[in-house]
Amino acid sequence: MKRASKIFTACTFLLLYVPLLVMIVFSFNSGKSTANFQGFDLRWYIELLSGGAMLDALRNSLVLAVLAALISTVLGLVAALGIFKMKNRYLKATVNSVTNVPMMNPDIVTGVSMLLFFVFVGTTLGYTPYRNFFTVLIAHVTFCLPYVILSIMPKLHQMDKNLTEAALDLGCTPMGAFFRIEFPAILPGILSGFIMAFTLSLDDFVISNFTCGQGFQTLPVYIYNMIKKRVTPDVYALYTIIFLLILALLFISNMLEARAEELNDPYSKKNIAARKAIAAGENPKNVNQSLQKSTKSSLLVKIVAGVTACVLVVLSVSSIFVNTEDEYAWVEYIETPYAGTTLYVYNWGEYIADGSDGSMDLVRVFEEMYDIDVVYSTFDTNEKLYSDIKSGAGVYDVVIPSDYMIERLLKEDLLQPINTDNLKNYHLVDDRYKDLYYDPTNSYSVPYNVGMVGIVYNTAMIDEKDAEKASLSILWDGKYKGNILQFDGPRDGFATAQILLGIDLNTHDKADWDRAYRKLIEQKSVFQGYVMDQIFAKMEGESAAVAPYYAGDCLSMMEENENLAFYYPVEGTNIFVDAMCIPKTAQNVGAAELFIDFLCRPEISGQNMNALGYSTPITAAKDYMDPEMVESELAYPSEDVLVNATSYAYLPEEIVQLVESLFQEATKLIN
Amino acid sequence: MNKRTSIGARLMLAPHILWCALFIVVPLLFVVYYAFAEFGSDGSLVGFTFRHFGDVFTDGDYLGTFGSSLLLALVSTLICLLIAYPTAYCISKMKAHSQRMMVILLMLPMWMNFLVRTYTLTQLLDNNGLINRFLGLFGIGALQFLGTPTAVVLGMVYNYLPYMILPIYTVMSKLDHRLIEASSDLGANSFQTLTRVILPLTVSGVISGITMVFVPSISTFYVAKAMSNGSISLIGDIIETQFGTLNYTMGSTLSFILMILILISMFVMNKFDKEGNGGVVA
């Protein structure tokens, strides 16, 4: 019985730890994949140490956690004292209940309620963005309060009131009595409340997700955005470091606690031995001294503490040492009236050359060139971009939406015209990408990227004959049951079905959408699931055989697994143009125009497209690209493929709602 | 004794009451407002209505999602309890320093970001993930772990297990083991000791644990989508989508219903907690 329960406990811990151990191992992966281990490399740790958006998010989280913990501890202490002294029982119960609401309520309801509140406040007071550092701070303090109060209250109850009375009798002022008697007595509760608040704030994701905005992202929110695009092992590296640090801290505090307990326990071995020694005639003073010495931190604890301290120091100053300043020393500085200002950019995730894999960090280059600080945020769908801009949750100077979303933004008057006279490189944009349907006057957008959807498949898992057919129908092929993936997004998901059925991607006919919906339901019997970010891991790790996805990302996957290949379906596909726009609410139009112009430079666009694997709308950029890339059928498909490609157009509101609800139905629980 | 609260106490309470009113009560009132409000096509307030609730309760999809969320949360909580109880007991019988070590090992995963933890779990369980590749060494074909409701339950259990073990362990560690000895001295077998001595004494820990697992399980998002390969959306996912697409009314309606659902569950559970000790375990 005993052994069985021990094995059971061991299994439980195994369940908890195996995924964590896998995470640690993969943090040393030389490749980008989290599914394919390609070799041992420290690259992610080095990249981590040289700073970047993730470390910024970590810094944000830490600063926020410290502030939130401090404020909630102070507020909580005062509140606990007040509640403790309340005489009216019913009022006391009410205050307690209200305080505990954030604790009892699911995080999502708390988060959502705060979002609504801040939107209202923002709209009435007329400031934007509605969600920023202060909103997150307020939200965090609010949900930490009940925990702080709950930590302090028991200590208040346990406190001996007689001591306070005695102190007052002996002439102490009430204030003095508080600081000398009560405060020390409840200090453990205050400390544990503070630590609890710090922990909760640091780890909170749900509430932060609804209250974060404009430029300020906490680490969990940053990770959530990354998880929606592609997870790279740098997250693993960060959490491995955190894991080891927490392990060390817990170990140290544990040892210290054990020593303290040993000292206080009259029956502990050390104390018994000490008493024996005194009884045998040794000098009590010496015995006491050696007792204190032996219970001081052992060597092991000292080593662990020392190493931890070193690691923390290294982490905080590392960005100074692993400095990439010299890397960009070649960048010529250009004088403009906008030097020293800040530019807010909102782009798709992983959609600009950022220095990884030998590419150039274009944002850094821009910052060096013009001395403008860029706050770079990412979004994962056009719809998110739309709701962020429309709701005022974010204020950006440059946004990069897709064609149909630009159409919608224009119709709702959310963009401002771009003065192309200020853009020196605008004339280099290929004529084919000017005067497009979504921006007929060509005054509100500058093309950034052209891409298409294609099929990526595993040559080892798919029959050559089926691959040669180059058809969309492979996604419905029962032969590959359980190995087929589908887009987890309404428009892209429906598009695959619509093209196969020959339906117009932009039909307003509800019956057409219904047909496409039924085709999607048909697919459910053979597919594996709806994916966006997981597709990288699944295709690279060979857990799936075939999927539709964006060409540039397919290229990225193919780099991680040589079994992967690509084709454009003969029935046609979706072509999209992502373009740079300036929202009406932009604060720094001058710098925005500089940034847009910068990205139109042939050498910059070439670098960018080289890294991304998409087509560039700047013909001259081809001179700066890898010849392989220029020749590639994937990045620069032939005319017959292009002719069959359709763009998404803006759909009227009721169709949008229909599409969303149909897609939601398709993803409901299978019973 | 003075029956009225002192001025000092009132002064101390004032900022707290202000904070609670402003940042707890008012935001929740907004949820209620949006749940009942009706907006015209131009976005202005038209009136108040029960229509949204009617829409939810007559729509099979929403009801189904609420039902599935409830079911999966209950199953996950139950499984957590079944795993946690013996584990907690086993730990509480270990030597003191081993116990401390175990508690540390339990707390560590809680510090890891839940998104990262869930993601690594999906990597392990994927069709060609490590577990399947390991089984493949023995010639066992690829088992499909992901993509089913069971996978979602596994994901939830994996994430919330420590939250169930810790409160139960805390209560068990304070158990006077002499009571158990006494019980067997008086002739009770193991089962009777369990049900008549240990169980009643550890009820408050169990209630704590259930609260800390059930509430997140029913309202979580991402776990369901990740573990089910995107084919299952729970109520948390839907609420997130609604707010993401600026559909505040439906999102608030669903949130309101979720809140009431949880309040009812809490009320039911409090009936079991006679000691009134339910609360947070630090």
Side-chain angles (χ1 to χ4, degrees):
Chain A
M1 182 59 181
K2 258 208 171 149
R3 192 172 294 179
S5 62
K6 284 222 165 137
I7 297 181
F8 183 81
T9 313
C11 286
T12 311
F13 277 90
L14 209 70
L15 167 73
L16 285 178
Y17 272 87
V18 166
L20 286 176
L21 294 173
V22 170
M23 177 188 87
I24 296 179
V25 169
F26 268 88
S27 68
F28 294 102
N29 190 7
S30 59
K32 265 202 221 180
S33 176
T34 55
N36 239 358
F37 194 81
Q38 283 175 350
F40 190 88
D41 197 337
L42 285 175
R43 69 180 276 199
W44 302 108
Y45 289 92
I46 299 178
E47 253 185 63
L48 202 61
L49 291 178
S50 48
M54 186 153 67
L55 269 194
D56 285 345
L58 175 65
R59 194 181 7 107
N60 288 346
S61 277
L62 284 171
V63 168
L64 181 70
V66 169
L67 276 175
L70 276 172
I71 297 178
S72 59
T73 306
V74 169
L75 272 178
L77 176 61
V78 174
L81 288 169
I83 296 177
F84 182 64
K85 299 206 195 270
M86 273 180 98
K87 303 280 197 256
N88 184 335
R89 256 193 309 161
Y90 298 109
L91 218 54
K92 194 171 183 170
T94 321
V95 174
N96 266 330
S97 309
V98 174
T99 314
N100 287 341
V101 163
M103 204 162 72
M104 294 290 118
N105 246 349
D107 279 349
I108 193 170
V109 176
T110 314
V112 152
S113 67
M114 302 229 90
L115 179 142
L116 292 175
F117 176 69
F118 290 128
V119 166
F120 174 77
V121 171
T123 349
T124 4
L125 293 185
Y127 71 82
T128 48
Y130 301 154
R131 284 149 47 182
N132 48 51
F133 173 72
F134 293 103
T135 57
V136 193
L137 183 62
I138 291 175
H140 278 226
V141 170
T142 311
F143 77 72
C144 287
L145 265 178
Y147 295 93
V148 171
I149 296 179
L150 211 69
S151 294
I152 300 182
M153 285 300 264
K155 292 287 172 192
L156 278 172
H157 285 292
Q158 282 170 8
M159 202 173 54
D160 190 350
K161 297 201 189 93
N162 295 322
L163 287 176
T164 324
E165 266 188 54
L168 291 170
D169 285 343
L170 289 167
C172 206
T173 61
M175 262 285 137
F178 173 72
F179 279 108
R180 290 190 193 200
I181 312 270
E182 298 180 2
F183 191 76
I186 57 177
L187 192 59
I190 300 178
L191 283 177
S192 72
F194 177 84
I195 293 176
M196 173 134 251
F198 180 80
T199 314
L200 285 172
S201 166
L202 202 60
D203 201 36
D204 170 69
F205 158 61
V206 180
I207 298 181
S208 305
N209 190 36
F210 288 102
T211 46
C212 264
Q214 181 66 30
F216 185 84
Q217 271 187 344
T218 57
L219 185 64
V221 175
Y222 175 87
I223 293 178
Y224 187 52
N225 282 326
M226 181 197 249
I227 265 188
K228 288 196 231 174
K229 179 70 189 187
R230 177 216 249 279
V231 181
T232 39
D234 51 354
V235 188
Y236 285 3
L238 180 64
Y239 275 95
T240 306
I241 297 179
I242 292 179
F243 178 81
L244 293 170
L245 274 177
I246 305 290
L247 181 62
L249 285 170
L250 286 176
F251 175 74
I252 296 175
S253 83
N254 183 44
M255 282 292 132
L256 290 175
E257 210 183 296
R259 305 278 169 187
E261 254 183 57
E262 215 179 347
L263 200 55
N264 287 331
D265 178 13
Y267 293 102
S268 73
K269 287 198 192 132
K270 292 220 164 102
N271 279 329
I272 292 178
R275 280 201 292 271
K276 274 194 190 159
I278 296 179
E282 282 205 33
N283 185 348
K285 240 195 187 166
N286 291 340
V287 172
N288 220 7
Q289 259 183 13
S290 59
L291 185 67
Q292 300 282 10
K293 250 202 235 170
S294 73
T295 52
K296 272 209 170 81
S297 322
S298 76
L299 189 61
L300 182 60
V301 175
K302 285 203 176 119
I303 293 177
V304 173
V307 169
T308 315
C310 286
V311 170
L312 280 171
V313 168
V314 167
L315 276 182
S316 22
V317 300
S318 64
S319 38
I320 305 181
F321 286 110
V322 188
N323 204 348
T324 49
E325 282 296 345
D326 300 324
E327 251 180 74
Y328 296 99
W330 56 268
V331 180
E332 252 186 71
Y333 175 70
I334 300 178
E335 178 94 32
T336 61
Y338 304 104
T341 58
T342 312
L343 177 73
Y344 289 89
V345 178
Y346 206 25
N347 194 4
W348 296 83
E350 294 233 344
Y351 216 43
I352 195 169
D354 59 359
S356 57
D357 284 334
S359 67
M360 233 196 279
D361 186 344
L362 293 181
V363 173
R364 273 300 302 282
V365 174
F366 177 80
E367 285 181 320
E368 295 292 317
M369 196 179 271
Y370 293 102
D371 191 24
I372 296 178
D373 187 30
V374 176
V375 177
Y376 190 87
S377 317
T378 61
F379 59 90
D380 59 309
T381 59
N382 281 305
E383 286 67 28
K384 173 136 207 314
L385 169 77
Y386 170 77
S387 69
D388 270 358
I389 295 190
K390 176 128 188 166
S391 69
V395 174
Y396 304 98
D397 303 305
V398 177
V399 295
I400 310 189
S402 305
D403 36 33
Y404 74 96
M405 190 45 76
I406 300 181
E407 220 188 319
R408 183 171 197 193
L409 290 169
L410 270 178
K411 281 209 164 72
E412 301 195 15
D413 198 26
L414 291 166
L415 300 175
Q416 57 172 290
I418 303 180
N419 191 346
T420 47
D421 294 332
N422 288 343
L423 304 176
K424 299 194 197 76
N425 293 303
Y426 185 67
H427 64 278
L428 292 169
V429 173
D430 202 285
D431 280 332
R432 164 206 288 244
Y433 298 111
K434 294 189 182 163
D435 301 321
L436 291 175
Y437 73 97
Y438 58 85
D439 182 15
T441 57
N442 218 28
S443 15
Y444 292 86
S445 63
V446 176
Y448 176 74
N449 203 10
V450 180
M452 304 209 315
V453 170
I455 304 282
V456 60
Y457 66 97
N458 192 320
T459 48
M461 297 165 83
I462 300 280
D463 243 340
E464 229 184 283
K465 294 216 184 82
D466 289 322
E468 274 167 26
K469 283 193 236 149
S471 162
L472 270 173
S473 56
I474 197 173
L475 297 176
W476 273 260
D477 196 338
K479 205 194 299 181
Y480 304 109
K481 184 174 160 114
N483 277 319
I484 301 170
L485 302 176
Q486 171 64 283
F487 276 114
D488 187 14
R491 291 217 73 171
D492 292 322
F494 270 111
T496 54
Q498 285 169 310
I499 295 176
L500 198 56
L501 293 173
I503 305 175
D504 174 19
L505 290 185
N506 303 307
T507 176
H508 289 196
D509 186 348
K510 292 193 181 171
D512 277 341
W513 286 102
D514 234 6
R515 270 201 296 149
Y517 166 75
R518 264 174 274 129
K519 189 79 183 155
L520 281 184
I521 298 292
E522 195 191 303
Q523 190 187 35
K524 288 183 92 167
S525 54
V526 296
F527 85 163
Q528 192 186 112
Y530 297 105
V531 294
M532 274 310 211
D533 61 288
Q534 296 122 305
I535 187 182
F536 290 97
K538 282 181 190 281
M539 291 307 290
E540 291 161 9
E542 303 193 355
S543 290
V546 63
Y549 216 61
Y550 313 108
D553 290 317
C554 294
L555 194 66
S556 177
M557 288 182 241
M558 285 156 69
E559 281 167 12
E560 297 295 316
N561 185 330
E562 36 182 40
N563 284 342
L564 297 178
F566 179 87
Y567 64 74
Y568 285 112
V570 293
E571 298 95 346
T573 185
N574 166 242
I575 182 171
F576 58 88
V577 176
D578 291 332
M580 305 178 269
C581 307
I582 304 183
K584 258 220 161 111
T585 48
Q587 310 274 329
N588 195 348
V589 178
E593 285 172 354
L594 281 178
F595 190 71
I596 295 178
D597 190 37
F598 171 77
L599 288 170
C600 287
R601 287 175 175 229
E603 65 274 21
I604 299 296
S605 177
Q607 274 285 334
N608 210 5
M609 295 305 128
N610 231 13
L612 298 180
Y614 286 103
S615 310
T616 169
I618 311 248
T619 332
K622 289 194 190 167
D623 298 334
Y624 294 89
M625 290 176 60
D626 242 343
E628 263 175 49
M629 190 69 79
V630 181
E631 310 284 308
S632 138
E633 171 70 18
L634 184 155
Y636 291 95
S638 54
E639 273 306 317
D640 33 305
V641 177
L642 285 172
V643 113
N644 259 340
T646 351
S647 315
Y648 293 137
Y650 160 66
L651 298 170
E653 185 65 30
E654 47 155 19
I655 303 283
V656 170
Q657 295 287 356
L658 173 70
V659 174
E660 294 263 357
S661 67
L662 279 178
F663 198 73
Q664 199 173 283
E665 255 192 69
T667 56
K668 70 173 182 205
L669 179 64
I670 316 161
N671 264 318
Chain B
M1 267 301 268
N2 199 349
K3 271 290 179 183
R4 300 192 74 236
T5 330
S6 66
I7 304 274
R10 283 179 190 222
L11 266 175
M12 284 194 275
L13 267 180
H16 177 69
I17 296 193
L18 196 66
W19 186 281
C20 286
L22 201 57
F23 297 118
I24 298 181
V25 179
V26 171
L28 283 177
L29 287 177
F30 270 105
V31 175
V32 178
Y33 168 76
Y34 274 97
F36 287 98
E38 178 128 44
F39 292 99
S41 49
D42 63 341
S44 61
L45 182 65
V46 164
F48 292 97
T49 171
F50 277 97
R51 189 169 65 84
H52 308 300
F53 289 92
D55 286 342
V56 171
F57 286 116
T58 51
D59 186 336
D61 290 336
Y62 283 126
L63 285 180
T65 314
F66 269 111
S68 339
S69 307
L70 192 61
L71 182 66
L72 289 176
L74 282 171
V75 173
S76 308
T77 311
L78 187 64
I79 295 183
C80 275
L81 185 59
L82 290 175
I83 298 181
Y85 203 83
T87 312
Y89 187 68
C90 189
I91 301 177
S92 69
K93 298 206 71 168
M94 290 183 183
K95 293 190 232 165
H97 65 264
S98 303
Q99 280 188 42
R100 274 190 289 257
M101 200 79 253
M102 289 285 131
V103 171
I104 292 182
L105 287 181
L106 268 181
M107 294 210 287
L108 265 179
M110 285 157 81
W111 276 84
M112 299 288 107
N113 183 287
F114 114 97
L115 293 167
V116 176
R117 272 189 291 165
T118 312
Y119 182 80
T120 44
L121 192 64
T122 60
Q123 293 302 286
L124 258 187
L125 296 174
D126 217 345
N127 284 352
N128 201 25
L130 285 174
I131 296 196
N132 268 320
R133 279 194 238 181
F134 179 70
L135 292 177
L137 292 175
F138 301 106
I140 309 175
L143 298 173
Q144 172 131 2
F145 292 112
L146 299 179
T148 58
T150 321
V152 179
V153 169
L154 178 63
M156 290 204 219
V157 168
Y158 172 68
N159 270 310
Y160 301 122
L161 191 59
Y163 296 93
M164 179 69 87
I165 301 182
L166 278 176
I168 299 183
Y169 161 75
T170 309
V171 166
M172 278 198 184
S173 61
K174 300 200 177 96
L175 258 185
D176 193 345
H177 283 268
R178 295 175 295 180
L179 287 171
I180 302 176
E181 271 184 48
S183 157
S184 51
D185 284 347
L186 289 168
N189 61 33
S190 314
F191 181 71
Q192 287 169 320
T193 315
L194 177 69
T195 48
R196 294 196 195 193
V197 181
I198 305 181
L199 220 49
L201 286 174
T202 54
V203 154
S204 60
V206 169
I207 301 284
S208 253
I210 292 182
T211 313
M212 302 231 288
V213 171
F214 181 72
V215 173
S217 306
I218 200 176
S219 57
T220 191
F221 56 96
Y222 181 70
V223 177
K225 289 205 113 155
M227 299 299 288
S228 69
N229 279 337
S231 47
I232 299 177
S233 293
L234 295 184
I235 197 67
D237 297 298
I238 305 227
I239 294 180
E240 199 223 352
T241 318
Q242 294 292 338
F243 276 91
T245 52
L246 299 183
N247 197 345
Y248 293 161
T249 45
M250 190 42 86
S252 301
T253 313
L254 294 168
S255 306
F256 186 78
I257 298 178
L258 182 63
M259 247 200 313
I260 302 293
L261 207 64
I262 293 187
L263 271 171
I264 297 178
S265 320
M266 295 283 103
F267 187 68
V268 166
M269 263 194 292
N270 269 328
K271 291 280 176 196
F272 288 100
D273 185 14
K274 297 184 188 86
E275 282 177 63
N277 271 351
V280 173
V281 179

